[in-house]
Structure formats: C-alpha cells, structure tokens
Amino acid sequence: MTAPRLEIELEKIYHNARTLVELLADHDISVTGITKATLGSPDIAGVLLRAGVSMIGDSRIENIERMRLSHVPATMVLTRSPMLSQVDQVVKYADVSFNTELDVISKLSSAARKVKQIHGIVLMVELGDLREGIMLDDMLDTIREVLRFPNIALKGIGTNLACRSGVSPDATNMSELSSLADLIETTFGLTLDIVSGGSSANLNWALSGAAIGRINNLRLGESILLGREPLQRQPIAGLHTDAITLVAEVIESKVKPSQPCGEIAQSAFGEQPPIIDRGHIPQAILAIGHQDTDPYGLQPPPEIEIIGASSDHLIIESSLPVGAEITFQLNYSALLRAMTSPFVAKVTHFQNGHTPAPISHMIH
Ligand SMILES: *Cc1c(COP(=O)(O)O)cnc(C)c1O
C-alpha cells in the first residue's frame, strides 16, 4: 500500500467519542465534536454524531463548507472568530460562530439579513490564557450592543484556556465563567443556551468531581482523536491512543557512524547534531519529513529511536530493510500537519460495515 499514510480507525474514534460523551453526560455537559485536525472529514463527523456529540465545531469555514456539502446533519459551529472577508460564507455554512469583535458581529448581521437568516453567536471571554476573548469588564457593554443587531441571536458564552499560554482550567476560572453567565442572564433577562467551558484541556477539571456550575458544553478534538488530555499529554483511561496512526516506509538502511564527520554548522532546521559518539550504528531512513508531519510529534515503536529529520527524510536507529514499514503514534501537531499534507494518504477503516445502535438505545 502507498506510504506515507494515515490509518484512521473509525471504530476506535467512535469508542473514544462515545466514552467521553457518556462520562460528561453524568455532569450534564454536552460535547461539541471538533473536526479541524481531520480537515473537516465528513466520515469522522458522522462517527462523532453517532457517538452522541451535540454539535460539530471547526475552526475553518472551508472545513465546515466541506461537511455541509457532504450533508453532515449537524449544527455547525465555527470556533475561530470569522474574518471580515468571510462573513458571507460563515452565514451560509455555519449555524453558530464564536466571536469577540463587534465589527465582525455587525457584518455577520448584515450578511445574515441579506439572506433572511438569523446567525447564532457565542461570545468568547478572556480568562487568562490571552488568546481570543472579550475582557471581563467589557462583557456587559458588548452584550448590550450585540442585542441590537437584528439578525444575530446570542446563543451563549465560552472561553478557551491552555492553547496559547498553557493556563489550566480550574475551579477559579471556571466559576468566573459560571458567575458571568448568571450575571448576563439577570442583567438582560435572557437565557444562555451554551456555556462552553473549553476544550480537551478541561477534561481533568470536569471529571475531577469539581463543581461544574453553569458549564454545560465542552469542545473536544484531541481527546477524541488521540485519546490523550493535552495538559500533560497523558493517555485517558479507557480510550484508544492509536485510533489514528502514521505509516512510513524505509528507503535506505546502512550501518553508519553515530557522529557526523567534518566541520559542523547548522542543519536544515537549525538543529544540533548528536554529541555522543557511540561508534557505528544501524541507521535507516524513512520517506517522510518536516513537509509531511512534525517529526518530533511522532512516537515510534519502543525498540526504535528517531535520531534526525529534515524536509523529506526521517532518520531512525534501526536495521530494518528497505521497503519495511513503521507505524507511529502521533501528537496533535504531527496529526495536523500529516492530515494537511497532500503527500500523506488517508486510509479510513470503517466500522466492519455495521452501524452502532442509535444513541437513544445506548443511554441508560
Ligand atoms: C480546536 C479547538 C478546540 C478543541 O481543542 P482540543 O484540545 O483539540 O480538544 C476547542 N475550542 C476551540 C476554540 C478550538 O479552536
């Protein structure tokens, strides 16, 4: 079979999604299934929906368009603030978008008005990670303005932690979000349907037995696809960490010195060569590199060590022969890049031709 390739096992993704949906349902938290690391794969979105996610979210409107055109039957949420230049597509393909700028919301309202629609928005709040979000002190004024736009419906509020600065979701920042939800509802006499507490980074908090407050939704990507929580990158008990794997092929296999020979300057990616001389070692080269994935985000089988990488080559310590294939587990960065590379084939394994029982039959 062609290499390099991502092997995608839908059965395992279903299991991961279903397990998290059930665990969080015990805390009255719904799951928005995040598809951006799959380029908006309609097959994966379908699996997430069968597993019981309440909405599908993606950061790229192009991915949402792809799922829409494939008739994925879901409420579609754009999780990155829309570009002014894309408001027409956003209104056309997404039901709801996450927002922080009144200028954008105003243009969304005009775009929705042109096509006689109401566009839903979730306002994102800054709670310390310093990526997107409205400052707490500006929230009430912003909402006052938002409520004036005729073709905008305020669906809720949300926050995002951990992604830029690594700030962990905890009792303090989560209760700030809960209190804000209460304050908004009493101030304006409205109901917020969605209080979205965060991402896979919130799982430890949500499942720790902490008070959940008003949080009723999490947006999960990495934990479903890779079976890990992103704060410490630990496997989540009961989930598969190999639902998606990367297979690469050996194109050279030789015994070579462990130390380079000659005057040493920078390598292609500014890395330092190894400093320990271990004599001659078996070295194999795989036909995959920085252009296809993040080499440092690959986890090889235990007996194999990655010892170098350039644009098109991954060097491992191994005596595997030319033509051999090696299967790696991936972290989020390696997955994103591999999924996006046209040089990496995507091979999807379906669920043995059987469809899981409808959700209503599985919740007890
Ligand atoms: C990608 C994304 C998520 C999902 O994060 P994971 O760590 O993959 O669960 C959640 N929220 C927003 C705004 C995102 O862009």
Side-chain angles (χ1 to χ4, degrees), residues 34 36 59 79 98 124 131-132 160 199-201 219-223 230 332:
I34 300 291
K36 66 183 179 229
S59 52
T79 62
F98 285 8
M124 295 298 274
R131 203 179 72 179
E132 78 277 30
N160 198 80
S199 64
S200 298
R219 314 174 300 270
L220 303 184
E222 176 166 356
S223 51
Y332 201 68

Side-chain angles (χ1 to χ4, degrees), residues 236-258:
I236 299 171
L239 300 196
H240 298 291
T241 57
D242 61 352
I244 306 179
T245 52
L246 182 64
V247 180
E249 183 178 327
V250 175
I251 53 171
E252 180 188 296
S253 180
K254 298 191 188 305
V255 173
K256 293 196 180 182
S258 54

Side-chain angles (χ1 to χ4, degrees), residues 87-107:
V87 290
D88 290 317
Q89 289 107 291
V90 172
V91 164
K92 184 169 180 191
Y93 296 116
D95 302 292
V96 176
S97 58
F98 285 8
N99 282 271
T100 61
E101 292 286 353
L102 284 170
D103 282 349
V104 175
I105 299 165
S106 168
K107 295 286 187 302

Side-chain angles (χ1 to χ4, degrees), residues 54-75:
S54 60
M55 297 178 277
I56 294 289
D58 202 292
S59 52
R60 311 280 170 141
I61 195 63
E62 294 82 357
N63 291 344
I64 290 181
E65 175 179 359
R66 178 182 175 201
M67 291 184 280
R68 271 282 190 246
L69 297 179
S70 305
H71 307 290
V72 172
T75 299

Side-chain angles (χ1 to χ4, degrees), residues 3-4 248-254 256 283-289 310 312-316 320-326:
E249 183 178 327
V250 175
I251 53 171
E252 180 188 296
S253 180
K254 298 191 188 305
K256 293 196 180 182
Q283 169 183 305
I285 299 178
L286 298 165
I288 191 164
S310 61
D312 313 299
H313 299 84
L314 185 72
I315 299 114
I316 58 176
L320 281 169
V322 168
E325 288 189 341
I326 296 178

